[in-house]
Amino acid sequence: MVRVLTGAFVALSGMLLTAQVSAQDARAAAVLAYDQAEALMAAGKVAEACPRYAESQKLDPQLGTLLHLADCLEKKGQTASAWAAFRDASEIAEQRGD
């Protein structure tokens, strides 16, 4: 019985560690995508930047990233998508008391 419990504990610990590493990998990928989007925006490549902001937001949702995505979409001429993103950001900020 002890062996079974020990084995289950080791398996569970491994799964938790994998989830933690995966979350760290997602965060790192989100930061990379965000940085790329910022560089693309600085270079005036709006159409290329928006998908990078969207990827960053998908990997690690952040209010600031959502606002940058909304701004990018607006500059790209995707007014309805920009409006939806700004509305979502407003709701998140209100919920957080920002």
Side-chain angles (χ1 to χ4, degrees):
M1 181 68 161
V2 172
R3 241 185 213 162
V4 172
L5 290 175
T6 302
F9 177 75
V10 169
L12 181 59
S13 297
M15 289 185 332
L16 291 174
L17 182 59
T18 300
Q20 185 177 20
V21 170
S22 295
Q24 289 172 346
D25 289 346
R27 172 95 171 110
V31 169
L32 178 62
Y34 180 87
D35 289 346
Q36 290 171 343
E38 288 286 283
L40 289 165
M41 286 296 285
K45 297 180 179 182
V46 176
E48 295 173 43
C50 294
R52 303 305 292 158
Y53 282 126
E55 180 182 354
S56 178
Q57 183 67 11
K58 181 179 176 184
L59 291 168
D60 184 28
Q62 298 291 325
L63 180 57
T65 304
L66 184 55
L67 287 168
H68 282 275
L69 173 59
D71 182 58
C72 188
L73 292 168
E74 182 180 32
K75 288 178 178 168
K76 188 178 173 189
Q78 294 181 292
T79 309
S81 296
W83 176 252
F86 278 124
R87 187 188 64 236
D88 291 347
S90 176
E91 290 173 7
I92 292 168
E94 187 175 318
Q95 289 171 356
R96 290 175 24 178
D98 291 345

